[in-house]
Amino acid sequence: IAGITQAPTSQILAAGRRMTLRCTQDMRHNAMYWYRQDLGLGLRLIHYSNTAGTTGKGEVPDGYSVSRANTDDFPLTLASAVPSQTSVYFCASSDSVRDTGELFFGEGSRLTVL
Amino acid sequence: GQNIDQPTEMTATEGAIVQINCTYQTSGFNGLFWYQQHAGEAPTFLSYNVLDGLEEKGRFSSFLSRSKGYSYLLLKELQMKDSASYLCAVMDSNYQLIWGAGTKLIIKP
């Protein structure tokens, strides 16, 4: 089934540990995004990539890094997790940055940092 | 700053009609989106408006007034499965999406 796959679905992590959230899409979409969703707040963009080999910072990039080595994969790394990074993380992709911009989301990764 | 406002929660009755409003102030405008998100699930696309007016898609319609910075999502013939959060998002001049916090819609029998 075509779509976006995220892993892990959920994770409990000790503060200070390194964590990588994986995201893979098989729709050959150029643009990919990482969002975090917190109660009472809108989705906030962490990092994005308009095409393979390029990345950019979103609204809340501090403490996170991404890479886009190929079209399909867009991992998000927390170098040293802190409790404020407890959130639900969504990976998303779109066919084009400037068209209708419809985003296709993964099922989310629920991360708890203790 | 950029801002998207929508009600936090609304309640409606099965079979009825509900209108969810969204007002926005953004740096430029390249379209407004509505997404549906069931609890514990990913958001899914509902509608896109870039020109003023009403876009109808089955039981759901979305309206846009760019001069007023205003949109609404209209849901007709409500069903229990419509219980979800509805997210309003605006694409700004940099083609970045700015998201509202979402409106939780509760449908009662």
Side-chain angles (χ1 to χ4, degrees), chain A residues 35 37 40-43 45 48 90 97-98 100 102-103 105-106, chain B residues 33 35 37 41-43 45 48 87 91 95-97 99-101:
Chain A
Y35 286 94
Q37 188 175 41
L41 299 176
L43 288 163
L45 183 65
Y48 65 94
F90 286 101
V97 174
R98 294 174 183 240
T100 65
E102 178 184 349
L103 295 181
F105 286 86
Chain B
F33 300 80
Y35 281 77
Q37 185 177 25
E41 297 184 8
F45 172 82
Y48 168 73
L87 314 181
M91 184 171 281
Y95 295 92
Q96 298 289 350
L97 280 174
W99 295 82

PDB file of all heavy atoms in Angstrom, chain A residues 35 37 40-43 45 48 90 97-98 100 102-103 105-106, chain B residues 33 35 37 41-43 45 48 87 91 95-97 99-101:
ATOM      1  N   TYR A  35       6.762  17.481  11.383  1.00  0.00           N
ATOM      2  CA  TYR A  35       5.991  18.335  12.267  1.00  0.00           C
ATOM      3  C   TYR A  35       5.963  17.713  13.656  1.00  0.00           C
ATOM      4  O   TYR A  35       6.048  16.509  13.813  1.00  0.00           O
ATOM      5  CB  TYR A  35       4.535  18.442  11.800  1.00  0.00           C
ATOM      6  CG  TYR A  35       4.302  19.292  10.573  1.00  0.00           C
ATOM      7  CD1 TYR A  35       4.258  18.717   9.310  1.00  0.00           C
ATOM      8  CD2 TYR A  35       4.102  20.663  10.691  1.00  0.00           C
ATOM      9  CE1 TYR A  35       4.016  19.503   8.184  1.00  0.00           C
ATOM     10  CE2 TYR A  35       3.858  21.451   9.571  1.00  0.00           C
ATOM     11  CZ  TYR A  35       3.818  20.851   8.331  1.00  0.00           C
ATOM     12  OH  TYR A  35       3.575  21.626   7.210  1.00  0.00           O
ATOM     13  N   GLN A  37       3.258  17.842  17.039  1.00  0.00           N
ATOM     14  CA  GLN A  37       1.909  18.245  17.422  1.00  0.00           C
ATOM     15  C   GLN A  37       1.771  18.126  18.924  1.00  0.00           C
ATOM     16  O   GLN A  37       1.922  17.045  19.481  1.00  0.00           O
ATOM     17  CB  GLN A  37       0.849  17.392  16.727  1.00  0.00           C
ATOM     18  CG  GLN A  37      -0.575  17.894  16.945  1.00  0.00           C
ATOM     19  CD  GLN A  37      -1.600  17.124  16.149  1.00  0.00           C
ATOM     20  OE1 GLN A  37      -1.531  15.900  16.033  1.00  0.00           O
ATOM     21  NE2 GLN A  37      -2.574  17.828  15.569  1.00  0.00           N
ATOM     22  N   GLY A  40      -3.237  21.638  22.221  1.00  0.00           N
ATOM     23  CA  GLY A  40      -3.554  23.065  22.270  1.00  0.00           C
ATOM     24  C   GLY A  40      -2.793  23.919  21.282  1.00  0.00           C
ATOM     25  O   GLY A  40      -3.043  25.119  21.193  1.00  0.00           O
ATOM     26  N   LEU A  41      -1.873  23.306  20.564  1.00  0.00           N
ATOM     27  CA  LEU A  41      -1.087  24.040  19.571  1.00  0.00           C
ATOM     28  C   LEU A  41      -1.314  23.451  18.190  1.00  0.00           C
ATOM     29  O   LEU A  41      -1.629  22.259  18.058  1.00  0.00           O
ATOM     30  CB  LEU A  41       0.403  23.980  19.913  1.00  0.00           C
ATOM     31  CG  LEU A  41       0.835  24.577  21.249  1.00  0.00           C
ATOM     32  CD1 LEU A  41       2.318  24.351  21.461  1.00  0.00           C
ATOM     33  CD2 LEU A  41       0.504  26.060  21.299  1.00  0.00           C
ATOM     34  N   GLY A  42      -1.133  24.277  17.181  1.00  0.00           N
ATOM     35  CA  GLY A  42      -1.187  23.761  15.822  1.00  0.00           C
ATOM     36  C   GLY A  42       0.056  22.942  15.509  1.00  0.00           C
ATOM     37  O   GLY A  42       1.045  22.962  16.247  1.00  0.00           O
ATOM     38  N   LEU A  43      -0.006  22.217  14.415  1.00  0.00           N
ATOM     39  CA  LEU A  43       1.176  21.522  13.938  1.00  0.00           C
ATOM     40  C   LEU A  43       2.299  22.542  13.714  1.00  0.00           C
ATOM     41  O   LEU A  43       2.081  23.593  13.120  1.00  0.00           O
ATOM     42  CB  LEU A  43       0.875  20.806  12.622  1.00  0.00           C
ATOM     43  CG  LEU A  43      -0.007  19.566  12.721  1.00  0.00           C
ATOM     44  CD1 LEU A  43      -0.573  19.197  11.359  1.00  0.00           C
ATOM     45  CD2 LEU A  43       0.803  18.406  13.286  1.00  0.00           C
ATOM     46  N   LEU A  45       6.169  23.117  12.201  1.00  0.00           N
ATOM     47  CA  LEU A  45       7.146  22.559  11.280  1.00  0.00           C
ATOM     48  C   LEU A  45       8.533  22.574  11.915  1.00  0.00           C
ATOM     49  O   LEU A  45       9.007  23.618  12.380  1.00  0.00           O
ATOM     50  CB  LEU A  45       7.146  23.361   9.979  1.00  0.00           C
ATOM     51  CG  LEU A  45       8.064  22.874   8.873  1.00  0.00           C
ATOM     52  CD1 LEU A  45       7.641  21.492   8.366  1.00  0.00           C
ATOM     53  CD2 LEU A  45       8.077  23.883   7.718  1.00  0.00           C
ATOM     54  N   TYR A  48      12.157  20.710   6.855  1.00  0.00           N
ATOM     55  CA  TYR A  48      11.547  20.287   5.614  1.00  0.00           C
ATOM     56  C   TYR A  48      12.623  20.037   4.563  1.00  0.00           C
ATOM     57  O   TYR A  48      13.785  20.428   4.728  1.00  0.00           O
ATOM     58  CB  TYR A  48      10.543  21.325   5.103  1.00  0.00           C
ATOM     59  CG  TYR A  48      11.173  22.643   4.721  1.00  0.00           C
ATOM     60  CD1 TYR A  48      11.561  22.907   3.410  1.00  0.00           C
ATOM     61  CD2 TYR A  48      11.382  23.641   5.670  1.00  0.00           C
ATOM     62  CE1 TYR A  48      12.149  24.103   3.054  1.00  0.00           C
ATOM     63  CE2 TYR A  48      11.973  24.839   5.330  1.00  0.00           C
ATOM     64  CZ  TYR A  48      12.346  25.077   4.029  1.00  0.00           C
ATOM     65  OH  TYR A  48      12.936  26.259   3.695  1.00  0.00           O
ATOM     66  N   PHE A  90       4.912  13.942  13.351  1.00  0.00           N
ATOM     67  CA  PHE A  90       4.341  13.498  12.079  1.00  0.00           C
ATOM     68  C   PHE A  90       5.294  13.828  10.940  1.00  0.00           C
ATOM     69  O   PHE A  90       5.757  14.962  10.813  1.00  0.00           O
ATOM     70  CB  PHE A  90       2.997  14.181  11.808  1.00  0.00           C
ATOM     71  CG  PHE A  90       1.867  13.662  12.632  1.00  0.00           C
ATOM     72  CD1 PHE A  90       1.422  14.360  13.745  1.00  0.00           C
ATOM     73  CD2 PHE A  90       1.246  12.469  12.295  1.00  0.00           C
ATOM     74  CE1 PHE A  90       0.369  13.883  14.509  1.00  0.00           C
ATOM     75  CE2 PHE A  90       0.184  11.982  13.049  1.00  0.00           C
ATOM     76  CZ  PHE A  90      -0.253  12.688  14.157  1.00  0.00           C
ATOM     77  N   VAL A  97       5.823  21.585  -3.830  1.00  0.00           N
ATOM     78  CA  VAL A  97       5.743  22.613  -2.802  1.00  0.00           C
ATOM     79  C   VAL A  97       4.658  23.624  -3.139  1.00  0.00           C
ATOM     80  O   VAL A  97       3.984  24.158  -2.275  1.00  0.00           O
ATOM     81  CB  VAL A  97       7.092  23.339  -2.668  1.00  0.00           C
ATOM     82  CG1 VAL A  97       6.987  24.502  -1.703  1.00  0.00           C
ATOM     83  CG2 VAL A  97       8.163  22.369  -2.216  1.00  0.00           C
ATOM     84  N   ARG A  98       4.447  23.886  -4.421  1.00  0.00           N
ATOM     85  CA  ARG A  98       3.658  25.059  -4.778  1.00  0.00           C
ATOM     86  C   ARG A  98       2.309  24.761  -5.419  1.00  0.00           C
ATOM     87  O   ARG A  98       1.599  25.673  -5.760  1.00  0.00           O
ATOM     88  CB  ARG A  98       4.458  25.945  -5.729  1.00  0.00           C
ATOM     89  CG  ARG A  98       5.665  26.524  -5.050  1.00  0.00           C
ATOM     90  CD  ARG A  98       6.535  27.291  -6.006  1.00  0.00           C
ATOM     91  NE  ARG A  98       7.716  27.771  -5.303  1.00  0.00           N
ATOM     92  CZ  ARG A  98       8.044  29.045  -5.184  1.00  0.00           C
ATOM     93  NH1 ARG A  98       7.296  29.966  -5.736  1.00  0.00           N
ATOM     94  NH2 ARG A  98       9.116  29.402  -4.530  1.00  0.00           N
ATOM     95  N   THR A 100      -1.352  22.407  -5.088  1.00  0.00           N
ATOM     96  CA  THR A 100      -2.371  22.444  -4.042  1.00  0.00           C
ATOM     97  C   THR A 100      -1.740  22.239  -2.683  1.00  0.00           C
ATOM     98  O   THR A 100      -2.338  22.588  -1.678  1.00  0.00           O
ATOM     99  CB  THR A 100      -3.435  21.361  -4.265  1.00  0.00           C
ATOM    100  OG1 THR A 100      -2.833  20.085  -4.147  1.00  0.00           O
ATOM    101  CG2 THR A 100      -4.087  21.504  -5.624  1.00  0.00           C
ATOM    102  N   GLU A 102      -1.319  19.579  -1.049  1.00  0.00           N
ATOM    103  CA  GLU A 102      -1.911  18.553  -0.200  1.00  0.00           C
ATOM    104  C   GLU A 102      -0.813  17.706   0.419  1.00  0.00           C
ATOM    105  O   GLU A 102       0.067  17.193  -0.286  1.00  0.00           O
ATOM    106  CB  GLU A 102      -2.850  17.661  -1.017  1.00  0.00           C
ATOM    107  CG  GLU A 102      -3.466  16.520  -0.210  1.00  0.00           C
ATOM    108  CD  GLU A 102      -4.302  15.601  -1.062  1.00  0.00           C
ATOM    109  OE1 GLU A 102      -4.581  15.941  -2.225  1.00  0.00           O
ATOM    110  OE2 GLU A 102      -4.672  14.517  -0.552  1.00  0.00           O
ATOM    111  N   LEU A 103      -0.876  17.585   1.717  1.00  0.00           N
ATOM    112  CA  LEU A 103       0.096  16.781   2.449  1.00  0.00           C
ATOM    113  C   LEU A 103      -0.469  15.405   2.746  1.00  0.00           C
ATOM    114  O   LEU A 103      -1.644  15.257   3.070  1.00  0.00           O
ATOM    115  CB  LEU A 103       0.460  17.459   3.765  1.00  0.00           C
ATOM    116  CG  LEU A 103       1.181  18.803   3.704  1.00  0.00           C
ATOM    117  CD1 LEU A 103       1.478  19.295   5.109  1.00  0.00           C
ATOM    118  CD2 LEU A 103       2.464  18.692   2.914  1.00  0.00           C
ATOM    119  N   PHE A 105       0.241  12.369   5.362  1.00  0.00           N
ATOM    120  CA  PHE A 105       0.907  12.195   6.643  1.00  0.00           C
ATOM    121  C   PHE A 105       1.137  10.731   6.973  1.00  0.00           C
ATOM    122  O   PHE A 105       0.330   9.857   6.622  1.00  0.00           O
ATOM    123  CB  PHE A 105       0.050  12.793   7.771  1.00  0.00           C
ATOM    124  CG  PHE A 105       0.056  14.296   7.815  1.00  0.00           C
ATOM    125  CD1 PHE A 105      -0.830  15.025   7.041  1.00  0.00           C
ATOM    126  CD2 PHE A 105       0.943  14.973   8.645  1.00  0.00           C
ATOM    127  CE1 PHE A 105      -0.833  16.414   7.082  1.00  0.00           C
ATOM    128  CE2 PHE A 105       0.944  16.355   8.695  1.00  0.00           C
ATOM    129  CZ  PHE A 105       0.055  17.077   7.911  1.00  0.00           C
ATOM    130  N   GLY A 106       2.239  10.493   7.688  1.00  0.00           N
ATOM    131  CA  GLY A 106       2.418   9.202   8.323  1.00  0.00           C
ATOM    132  C   GLY A 106       1.539   9.111   9.559  1.00  0.00           C
ATOM    133  O   GLY A 106       0.880  10.081   9.945  1.00  0.00           O
TER     134      GLY A 106
ATOM    135  N   PHE B  33      -6.290  25.479   3.609  1.00  0.00           N
ATOM    136  CA  PHE B  33      -6.574  24.047   3.639  1.00  0.00           C
ATOM    137  C   PHE B  33      -7.388  23.698   4.874  1.00  0.00           C
ATOM    138  O   PHE B  33      -7.232  24.314   5.935  1.00  0.00           O
ATOM    139  CB  PHE B  33      -5.265  23.251   3.699  1.00  0.00           C
ATOM    140  CG  PHE B  33      -4.354  23.480   2.530  1.00  0.00           C
ATOM    141  CD1 PHE B  33      -3.548  24.611   2.457  1.00  0.00           C
ATOM    142  CD2 PHE B  33      -4.288  22.560   1.501  1.00  0.00           C
ATOM    143  CE1 PHE B  33      -2.698  24.820   1.385  1.00  0.00           C
ATOM    144  CE2 PHE B  33      -3.444  22.757   0.422  1.00  0.00           C
ATOM    145  CZ  PHE B  33      -2.660  23.891   0.367  1.00  0.00           C
ATOM    146  N   TYR B  35      -8.075  20.104   7.068  1.00  0.00           N
ATOM    147  CA  TYR B  35      -7.735  18.709   7.276  1.00  0.00           C
ATOM    148  C   TYR B  35      -8.603  18.166   8.399  1.00  0.00           C
ATOM    149  O   TYR B  35      -8.988  18.891   9.323  1.00  0.00           O
ATOM    150  CB  TYR B  35      -6.263  18.552   7.673  1.00  0.00           C
ATOM    151  CG  TYR B  35      -5.292  18.650   6.517  1.00  0.00           C
ATOM    152  CD1 TYR B  35      -4.965  19.878   5.962  1.00  0.00           C
ATOM    153  CD2 TYR B  35      -4.703  17.503   5.982  1.00  0.00           C
ATOM    154  CE1 TYR B  35      -4.090  19.963   4.895  1.00  0.00           C
ATOM    155  CE2 TYR B  35      -3.810  17.584   4.925  1.00  0.00           C
ATOM    156  CZ  TYR B  35      -3.515  18.816   4.387  1.00  0.00           C
ATOM    157  OH  TYR B  35      -2.639  18.901   3.333  1.00  0.00           O
ATOM    158  N   GLN B  37      -8.733  15.233  11.427  1.00  0.00           N
ATOM    159  CA  GLN B  37      -7.855  14.354  12.207  1.00  0.00           C
ATOM    160  C   GLN B  37      -8.660  13.639  13.275  1.00  0.00           C
ATOM    161  O   GLN B  37      -9.096  14.259  14.253  1.00  0.00           O
ATOM    162  CB  GLN B  37      -6.706  15.144  12.839  1.00  0.00           C
ATOM    163  CG  GLN B  37      -5.692  14.272  13.558  1.00  0.00           C
ATOM    164  CD  GLN B  37      -4.520  15.054  14.130  1.00  0.00           C
ATOM    165  OE1 GLN B  37      -4.630  16.242  14.408  1.00  0.00           O
ATOM    166  NE2 GLN B  37      -3.389  14.394  14.305  1.00  0.00           N
ATOM    167  N   GLU B  41      -4.905   9.567  15.226  1.00  0.00           N
ATOM    168  CA  GLU B  41      -4.576   9.274  13.828  1.00  0.00           C
ATOM    169  C   GLU B  41      -3.911  10.457  13.153  1.00  0.00           C
ATOM    170  O   GLU B  41      -3.773  11.539  13.732  1.00  0.00           O
ATOM    171  CB  GLU B  41      -5.850   8.874  13.085  1.00  0.00           C
ATOM    172  CG  GLU B  41      -6.496   7.614  13.623  1.00  0.00           C
ATOM    173  CD  GLU B  41      -7.710   7.182  12.813  1.00  0.00           C
ATOM    174  OE1 GLU B  41      -7.960   7.774  11.737  1.00  0.00           O
ATOM    175  OE2 GLU B  41      -8.390   6.252  13.249  1.00  0.00           O
ATOM    176  N   ALA B  42      -3.516  10.260  11.908  1.00  0.00           N
ATOM    177  CA  ALA B  42      -2.870  11.314  11.138  1.00  0.00           C
ATOM    178  C   ALA B  42      -3.913  12.237  10.520  1.00  0.00           C
ATOM    179  O   ALA B  42      -5.038  11.815  10.236  1.00  0.00           O
ATOM    180  CB  ALA B  42      -2.012  10.696  10.036  1.00  0.00           C
ATOM    181  N   PRO B  43      -3.572  13.488  10.283  1.00  0.00           N
ATOM    182  CA  PRO B  43      -4.486  14.374   9.545  1.00  0.00           C
ATOM    183  C   PRO B  43      -4.664  13.891   8.110  1.00  0.00           C
ATOM    184  O   PRO B  43      -3.724  13.365   7.494  1.00  0.00           O
ATOM    185  CB  PRO B  43      -3.761  15.726   9.569  1.00  0.00           C
ATOM    186  CG  PRO B  43      -2.785  15.646  10.691  1.00  0.00           C
ATOM    187  CD  PRO B  43      -2.372  14.205  10.748  1.00  0.00           C
ATOM    188  N   PHE B  45      -6.410  15.190   4.266  1.00  0.00           N
ATOM    189  CA  PHE B  45      -6.824  16.359   3.500  1.00  0.00           C
ATOM    190  C   PHE B  45      -8.322  16.351   3.243  1.00  0.00           C
ATOM    191  O   PHE B  45      -8.895  15.333   2.859  1.00  0.00           O
ATOM    192  CB  PHE B  45      -6.058  16.360   2.173  1.00  0.00           C
ATOM    193  CG  PHE B  45      -6.498  17.389   1.179  1.00  0.00           C
ATOM    194  CD1 PHE B  45      -6.048  18.687   1.275  1.00  0.00           C
ATOM    195  CD2 PHE B  45      -7.353  17.058   0.146  1.00  0.00           C
ATOM    196  CE1 PHE B  45      -6.439  19.638   0.343  1.00  0.00           C
ATOM    197  CE2 PHE B  45      -7.753  17.997  -0.794  1.00  0.00           C
ATOM    198  CZ  PHE B  45      -7.289  19.290  -0.695  1.00  0.00           C
ATOM    199  N   TYR B  48      -9.221  22.515  -0.284  1.00  0.00           N
ATOM    200  CA  TYR B  48      -8.261  23.572  -0.591  1.00  0.00           C
ATOM    201  C   TYR B  48      -9.008  24.707  -1.265  1.00  0.00           C
ATOM    202  O   TYR B  48      -9.751  24.477  -2.226  1.00  0.00           O
ATOM    203  CB  TYR B  48      -7.180  23.027  -1.514  1.00  0.00           C
ATOM    204  CG  TYR B  48      -6.274  24.053  -2.140  1.00  0.00           C
ATOM    205  CD1 TYR B  48      -5.318  24.705  -1.379  1.00  0.00           C
ATOM    206  CD2 TYR B  48      -6.359  24.358  -3.499  1.00  0.00           C
ATOM    207  CE1 TYR B  48      -4.462  25.625  -1.957  1.00  0.00           C
ATOM    208  CE2 TYR B  48      -5.515  25.287  -4.080  1.00  0.00           C
ATOM    209  CZ  TYR B  48      -4.565  25.922  -3.305  1.00  0.00           C
ATOM    210  OH  TYR B  48      -3.718  26.837  -3.875  1.00  0.00           O
ATOM    211  N   LEU B  87      -8.629  20.848  11.240  1.00  0.00           N
ATOM    212  CA  LEU B  87      -7.470  21.742  11.251  1.00  0.00           C
ATOM    213  C   LEU B  87      -7.526  22.681  10.059  1.00  0.00           C
ATOM    214  O   LEU B  87      -7.687  22.235   8.921  1.00  0.00           O
ATOM    215  CB  LEU B  87      -6.166  20.928  11.183  1.00  0.00           C
ATOM    216  CG  LEU B  87      -6.035  19.720  12.101  1.00  0.00           C
ATOM    217  CD1 LEU B  87      -4.670  19.064  11.914  1.00  0.00           C
ATOM    218  CD2 LEU B  87      -6.261  20.093  13.546  1.00  0.00           C
ATOM    219  N   MET B  91      -1.321  28.637   3.587  1.00  0.00           N
ATOM    220  CA  MET B  91      -0.003  28.639   2.958  1.00  0.00           C
ATOM    221  C   MET B  91       0.418  30.091   2.758  1.00  0.00           C
ATOM    222  O   MET B  91      -0.289  30.856   2.081  1.00  0.00           O
ATOM    223  CB  MET B  91      -0.043  27.889   1.624  1.00  0.00           C
ATOM    224  CG  MET B  91       1.309  27.752   0.952  1.00  0.00           C
ATOM    225  SD  MET B  91       1.277  26.647  -0.462  1.00  0.00           S
ATOM    226  CE  MET B  91       1.310  25.060   0.363  1.00  0.00           C
ATOM    227  N   TYR B  95       5.280  29.746   0.851  1.00  0.00           N
ATOM    228  CA  TYR B  95       4.725  28.413   0.591  1.00  0.00           C
ATOM    229  C   TYR B  95       4.890  27.486   1.789  1.00  0.00           C
ATOM    230  O   TYR B  95       4.995  26.279   1.642  1.00  0.00           O
ATOM    231  CB  TYR B  95       5.304  27.802  -0.687  1.00  0.00           C
ATOM    232  CG  TYR B  95       4.909  28.573  -1.912  1.00  0.00           C
ATOM    233  CD1 TYR B  95       5.714  29.597  -2.394  1.00  0.00           C
ATOM    234  CD2 TYR B  95       3.707  28.300  -2.564  1.00  0.00           C
ATOM    235  CE1 TYR B  95       5.328  30.332  -3.504  1.00  0.00           C
ATOM    236  CE2 TYR B  95       3.319  29.039  -3.671  1.00  0.00           C
ATOM    237  CZ  TYR B  95       4.136  30.053  -4.133  1.00  0.00           C
ATOM    238  OH  TYR B  95       3.758  30.780  -5.224  1.00  0.00           O
ATOM    239  N   GLN B  96       4.927  28.062   2.986  1.00  0.00           N
ATOM    240  CA  GLN B  96       4.927  27.281   4.205  1.00  0.00           C
ATOM    241  C   GLN B  96       3.512  27.267   4.782  1.00  0.00           C
ATOM    242  O   GLN B  96       2.819  28.279   4.756  1.00  0.00           O
ATOM    243  CB  GLN B  96       5.901  27.864   5.235  1.00  0.00           C
ATOM    244  CG  GLN B  96       7.349  27.873   4.790  1.00  0.00           C
ATOM    245  CD  GLN B  96       7.973  26.485   4.734  1.00  0.00           C
ATOM    246  OE1 GLN B  96       7.379  25.503   5.199  1.00  0.00           O
ATOM    247  NE2 GLN B  96       9.151  26.381   4.157  1.00  0.00           N
ATOM    248  N   LEU B  97       3.118  26.140   5.343  1.00  0.00           N
ATOM    249  CA  LEU B  97       1.794  26.028   5.943  1.00  0.00           C
ATOM    250  C   LEU B  97       1.834  26.510   7.384  1.00  0.00           C
ATOM    251  O   LEU B  97       2.676  26.076   8.166  1.00  0.00           O
ATOM    252  CB  LEU B  97       1.308  24.586   5.892  1.00  0.00           C
ATOM    253  CG  LEU B  97       0.725  24.099   4.580  1.00  0.00           C
ATOM    254  CD1 LEU B  97       0.417  22.612   4.639  1.00  0.00           C
ATOM    255  CD2 LEU B  97      -0.527  24.876   4.216  1.00  0.00           C
ATOM    256  N   TRP B  99      -0.505  26.504  10.706  1.00  0.00           N
ATOM    257  CA  TRP B  99      -1.621  25.683  11.174  1.00  0.00           C
ATOM    258  C   TRP B  99      -2.338  26.312  12.359  1.00  0.00           C
ATOM    259  O   TRP B  99      -1.696  26.846  13.266  1.00  0.00           O
ATOM    260  CB  TRP B  99      -1.123  24.305  11.601  1.00  0.00           C
ATOM    261  CG  TRP B  99      -0.560  23.500  10.490  1.00  0.00           C
ATOM    262  CD1 TRP B  99       0.707  23.580   9.972  1.00  0.00           C
ATOM    263  CD2 TRP B  99      -1.235  22.489   9.737  1.00  0.00           C
ATOM    264  NE1 TRP B  99       0.849  22.683   8.940  1.00  0.00           N
ATOM    265  CE2 TRP B  99      -0.318  22.001   8.776  1.00  0.00           C
ATOM    266  CE3 TRP B  99      -2.522  21.961   9.773  1.00  0.00           C
ATOM    267  CZ2 TRP B  99      -0.660  20.992   7.879  1.00  0.00           C
ATOM    268  CZ3 TRP B  99      -2.858  20.955   8.878  1.00  0.00           C
ATOM    269  CH2 TRP B  99      -1.935  20.482   7.941  1.00  0.00           C
ATOM    270  N   GLY B 100      -3.664  26.218  12.357  1.00  0.00           N
ATOM    271  CA  GLY B 100      -4.432  26.502  13.550  1.00  0.00           C
ATOM    272  C   GLY B 100      -4.332  25.333  14.524  1.00  0.00           C
ATOM    273  O   GLY B 100      -3.868  24.249  14.162  1.00  0.00           O
ATOM    274  N   ALA B 101      -4.779  25.562  15.752  1.00  0.00           N
ATOM    275  CA  ALA B 101      -4.695  24.526  16.789  1.00  0.00           C
ATOM    276  C   ALA B 101      -5.751  23.438  16.609  1.00  0.00           C
ATOM    277  O   ALA B 101      -5.685  22.406  17.272  1.00  0.00           O
ATOM    278  CB  ALA B 101      -4.818  25.153  18.167  1.00  0.00           C
TER     279      ALA B 101
END
